[in-house]
Amino acid sequence: MFDKKTYINRRQALKARLKNGVVLLPGNSESSANYPSNTYLFRQDSTFLYFFGLNHPDYAALIDLDSGEEILYGDDYSIDDIIWMGPQPTLAEQAEQVGVTRTAPLQAIEERLKKAIGQGRRIHFLPPYRGETTLRMASWLGIQPQRLSDYVSVELAVAVVALREIKDDQEIAEMERACAIATEMHTLAMAMCRPGVVEQQISGALDGVALRAGAGVSFPSIVSQNGETLHNHYHGNVLTDGRLLLVDAGAETNLNYCSDFTRTFPVNGRFTTRQKEVYDIVLAANDRAFELSRPDVCYWQIHNAACLVIAEGLKALGLMQGDMQEAVAAGAQALFMPHGLGHQVGLDVHDMENIGEKYVGYDEETLRSSTPGLSSLRMGKRLKPGQVITVEPGIYFIPALVDKWGKEGLGGEFINYARVREYLDFGGIRIEDNLLVTPTGNRLMGKHRPPVTTEEIETYMAEHRQ
Ligand code: GLY
Ligand code: MN
Ligand code: MN
């Protein structure tokens, strides 16, 4: 945990942004996997972690904006629990670690909330995303589970996003650690990669690195020689000479700050000319995003600039044709990159996505576009110093999408379908890095960037392959 002052200051800052009422911040509970006592790895709610720091199930917190009170709700362990779990700190001891002086049993929260509701006071809460929390909140608040979303507090959403999206120095240091773990994961994947290895052997080894050095992976790793499938979690393929392996993987530190990197490299350690040609276009798009990322630039504009690099590169290879500015305005390059350029990273790998994209990725000024490609962009708003974002351009040859666009005549004048069909066995390439927006521009996160140019990758693989 950070020093208690950090959590005290964060709660003060939240109170300063809200007028009145009661803020309800539920922590997460254990979640059963296949029978009640066999649970998934516990993951605390990130907003609860941000304000209350305690990585422990079945806690909830209230902040009374009128009286200033902060109350941590939870239950102390009984002797029966301690027999199974060993000595445990009390609720009060844990509360003290994060600067909270008032604690109460979990069941007392309902009475306090119902009393506040009876007095006509506003209860501020964020959209729940787990079944257990939804049911618990519905019962505490006397609202049907399916109606909870009608009562979500926009003021709280806006205030939480404003605070969490700007990372302070100790958060940045923590995220540097998450990036260092990711570098270890990606270089291990390069070292393990060769024909005959099963993808699962690599993904399992990456899980091991993430768990050895932190709280585990920040999302289920994507380790696939079918990199054209964007979120491919099937890891059963045997790696084949001549193919590319796409690894999209990141880690969480023990304080649950995340990283998210993608590297794509040749199974046999050497890029073919055709693979290198496509790779260098994606890398140029990644470089362009670094060139342009600075405060006050809208992220959707950086997305479009990276897409223009991709479109121009594909035109040079004969896969696209015509005016590429017009092609990008029409979203024709989305045949090859049907996703957005990136997203924020923090206590969640897609930071704060549970709060609602309208407040996290967009704002009063920016709205998600309906143009192909841009329509998949999770974040369009202006950048600010202190944000950590990913840039993750890619080029993919997705046979089903080529087929559909071809049949429907989509992107028609800009796409050379005959040439594109020559690449249907290519797979996909994505290159993802994490950057910090600084007052004057940006800087790469991770002191040791995983090898990224084709030359760096080939050299690394030649020297380290097992
Ligand atoms: N890990 C999914 C992504 O890159 O956004
Ligand atoms: Mn990723
Ligand atoms: Mn990402």
Side-chain angles (χ1 to χ4, degrees):
M1 247 185 298
F2 294 130
D3 185 82
K4 74 169 78 164
K5 204 79 198 113
T6 297
Y7 302 102
I8 293 169
N9 289 344
R10 288 174 176 178
R11 295 192 297 268
Q12 273 311 118
L14 182 66
K15 288 178 193 173
R17 285 178 177 268
L18 296 168
K19 290 193 200 73
N20 47 38
V22 177
V23 176
L24 164 61
L25 294 173
N28 280 337
S29 305
E30 296 278 15
S31 196
S32 298
N34 51 342
Y35 56 92
S37 65
N38 202 27
T39 56
Y40 292 109
L41 187 68
F42 176 68
R43 179 52 155 86
Q44 183 58 288
D45 174 75
S46 297
T47 300
F48 186 87
L49 274 179
Y50 184 82
F51 291 106
F52 288 89
L54 298 170
N55 194 359
H56 189 286
D58 295 323
Y59 287 171
L62 290 189
I63 300 176
D64 189 315
L65 297 168
D66 302 291
S67 69
E69 280 171 293
E70 300 166 343
I71 313 167
L72 178 68
Y73 291 87
D75 294 320
D76 278 316
Y77 286 105
S78 68
I79 183 64
D80 287 337
D81 298 319
I82 289 168
I83 290 168
W84 292 95
M85 302 168 68
Q88 299 291 324
T90 64
L91 179 68
E93 285 165 348
Q94 291 184 56
E96 201 277 329
Q97 290 184 306
V98 292
V100 173
T101 52
R102 293 205 52 190
T103 61
L106 186 61
Q107 65 167 28
I109 199 169
E110 182 163 341
E111 194 185 324
R112 172 106 187 192
L113 284 167
K114 294 226 161 105
K115 187 168 163 210
I117 293 166
Q119 291 167 338
R121 300 180 67 202
R122 177 78 200 276
I123 312 296
H124 299 274
F125 60 88
L126 300 172
Y129 53 91
R130 285 196 184 189
E132 292 94 339
T133 315
T134 302
L135 292 177
R136 211 172 229 182
M137 286 174 60
S139 154
W140 292 342
L141 296 167
I143 300 172
Q144 291 188 343
Q146 64 274 23
R147 298 286 316 278
L148 273 178
S149 58
D150 298 344
Y151 296 88
V152 160
S153 167
V154 173
E155 297 100 296
L156 179 62
V158 169
V160 169
V161 171
L163 296 173
R164 280 184 56 190
E165 74 176 350
I166 308 300
K167 275 65 181 178
D168 67 17
D169 288 349
Q170 59 184 350
E171 291 179 291
I172 291 163
E174 197 62 23
M175 294 186 73
E176 288 284 0
R177 280 189 271 282
C179 291
I181 304 170
T183 294
E184 200 186 324
M185 292 162 75
H186 283 272
T187 49
L188 177 63
M190 289 178 195
M192 288 182 71
C193 178
R194 60 185 152 74
V197 168
V198 181
E199 293 160 346
Q200 182 174 4
Q201 291 173 261
I202 298 179
S203 70
L206 303 190
D207 285 2
V209 173
L211 283 165
R212 192 171 74 212
V217 292
S218 51
F219 59 95
S221 302
I222 297 159
V223 178
S224 179
Q225 65 182 359
N226 296 121
E228 75 280 9
T229 302
L230 301 184
H231 278 181
N232 196 337
H233 292 130
Y234 175 72
H235 294 154
N237 296 306
V238 179
L239 298 184
T240 310
D241 202 358
R243 303 286 298 274
L244 292 167
L245 179 66
L246 185 151
V247 176
D248 183 350
E252 292 196 3
T253 63
N254 285 327
L255 295 191
N256 299 106
Y257 282 88
C258 301
S259 59
D260 181 11
F261 284 80
T262 307
R263 289 293 182 267
T264 310
F265 39 92
V267 167
N268 65 13
R270 305 281 303 176
F271 287 91
T272 63
T273 303
R274 189 169 82 145
Q275 287 167 345
K276 190 171 170 353
E277 284 168 353
V278 178
Y279 189 96
D280 282 340
I281 300 170
V282 181
L283 187 57
N286 177 293
D287 288 344
R288 185 82 183 119
F290 271 97
E291 276 165 28
L292 296 179
S293 294
R294 71 172 65 89
D296 282 332
V297 178
C298 285
Y299 193 65
W300 70 263
Q301 292 172 311
I302 303 171
H303 167 99
N304 270 2
C307 287
L308 183 60
V309 172
I310 283 182
E312 297 282 10
L314 291 171
K315 180 179 172 183
L317 291 182
L319 294 153
M320 294 187 74
Q321 56 207 7
D323 181 318
M324 290 301 100
Q325 301 264 12
E326 285 174 21
V328 170
Q333 83 297 334
L335 175 61
F336 308 98
M337 182 176 141
H339 63 71
L341 183 65
H343 50 87
Q344 297 182 74
V345 194
L347 277 164
D348 307 296
V349 66
H350 286 186
D351 209 21
M352 304 176 280
E353 213 162 76
N354 61 305
I355 295 177
E357 177 182 280
K358 203 169 148 193
Y359 313 112
V360 177
Y362 293 86
D363 53 18
E364 309 84 43
E365 185 193 3
T366 51
L367 258 187
R368 201 192 260 236
S369 156
S370 58
T371 306
L374 256 189
S375 63
S376 301
L377 186 64
R378 296 185 143 86
M379 169 176 174
K381 68 186 180 185
R382 283 183 198 280
L383 297 182
K384 294 183 192 141
Q387 286 175 335
V388 178
I389 58 173
T390 69
V391 290
E392 46 183 304
I395 294 179
Y396 316 86
F397 295 90
I398 305 171
L401 194 63
V402 172
D403 195 41
K404 176 181 157 62
W405 276 46
K407 277 196 187 119
E408 295 177 13
L410 300 173
E413 66 195 273
F414 298 114
I415 310 288
N416 179 348
Y417 279 99
R419 183 93 170 108
V420 172
R421 289 198 185 91
E422 293 170 18
Y423 281 73
L424 290 183
D425 62 348
F426 185 93
I429 292 175
R430 176 161 66 254
I431 304 173
E432 177 173 23
D433 286 283
N434 301 186
L435 65 82
L436 169 69
V437 182
T438 62
T440 53
N442 70 80
R443 75 166 172 80
L444 191 69
M445 295 285 290
K447 293 202 174 55
H448 302 287
R449 190 183 190 193
V452 70
T453 64
T454 55
E455 199 183 339
E456 284 168 4
I457 289 172
E458 288 183 350
T459 304
Y460 189 89
M461 291 181 81
E463 289 174 357
H464 295 86
R465 273 207 301 167
Q466 297 161 358

